[in-house]
């Protein structure tokens, strides 16, 4: 697969539009592994972050996790609206509200399926970023 290139903050960034795995793929049911920035070249972190973000834009979703594209890493991207797309390496919920609310949610890995999911009214997340 030929890499695409994007001009971002004065640099040329390589990335790809990634393909979603089939919803029967076992990777969707396995725990993800933490991303170790010391194990990977910084360009690999950048490549993954931009590939996930650009794939999310193409798919039109609100969030995308690395395991949804066949990668076992604990990395996700979230569309934060006007704040842009955030990439979160090794996200952890460290605090949450008391109240649960029901939301109808869909998932890019299960197209057409929407279910009501209880979620806390707010959460606080700790994560690593590449910039």
């Amino acid at each position: 697969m030929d890499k695409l290139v994007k001009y971002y903050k004065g640099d040329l960034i390589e990335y790809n539009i990634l393909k979603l795995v089939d919803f029967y793929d076992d990777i969707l049911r396995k725990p993800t592994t933490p991303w170790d920035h010391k194990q990977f070249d910084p360009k690999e972190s950048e490549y993954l972050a931009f590939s996930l973000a650009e794939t999310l834009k193409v798919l039109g979703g609100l969030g995308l996790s690395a395991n949804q594209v066949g990668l076992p890493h604990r990395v996700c991207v979230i569309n934060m609206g006007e704040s842009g797309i955030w990439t979160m390496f090794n996200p952890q919920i460290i605090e949450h509200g008391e109240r649960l609310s029901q939301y109808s949610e869909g998932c890019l890995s299960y197209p057409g399926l929407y279910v009501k999911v209880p979620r806390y009214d707010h959460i606080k997340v700790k994560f690593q970023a590449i910039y």
Side-chain angles (χ1 to χ4, degrees):
M1 176 176 355
D2 291 332
K3 289 185 179 175
L4 302 168
V5 178
K6 179 177 188 154
Y7 188 71
Y8 180 79
K9 293 186 178 181
D11 291 322
L12 289 176
I13 308 295
E14 291 185 336
Y15 69 94
N16 276 106
I17 301 303
L18 305 170
K19 186 177 178 217
L20 291 174
V21 298
D22 183 85
F23 56 83
Y24 291 114
D25 196 308
D26 284 341
I27 198 165
L28 297 175
R29 286 167 277 294
K30 292 180 182 175
T32 54
T33 57
W35 181 267
D36 183 353
H37 287 280
K38 294 175 187 168
Q39 178 184 349
F40 296 97
D41 179 283
K43 288 286 183 195
E44 290 178 274
S45 297
E46 184 178 84
Y47 172 79
L48 178 57
F50 276 83
S51 294
L52 287 171
E54 294 299 319
T55 300
L56 181 65
K57 286 180 191 175
V58 168
L59 295 174
L62 296 177
L64 181 67
S65 181
N67 65 336
Q68 290 178 275
V69 294
L71 302 171
H73 311 296
R74 192 166 300 144
V75 182
C76 67
V77 291
I78 308 286
N79 185 338
M80 299 296 284
E82 290 182 20
S83 297
I85 294 177
W86 291 16
T87 303
M88 300 180 189
F89 288 86
N90 305 316
Q92 297 176 322
I93 296 174
I94 57 171
E95 203 174 288
H96 60 76
E98 297 293 321
R99 197 171 31 142
L100 289 170
S101 298
Q102 294 279 330
Y103 295 99
S104 182
E105 293 185 17
C107 179
L108 293 170
S109 295
Y110 298 89
L113 176 65
Y114 292 87
V115 295
K116 289 208 176 231
V117 179
R119 299 282 187 205
Y120 289 106
D121 57 351
H122 70 275
I123 61 170
K124 186 175 185 180
V125 180
K126 175 176 95 171
F127 63 92
Q128 298 166 320
I130 58 172
Y131 295 114

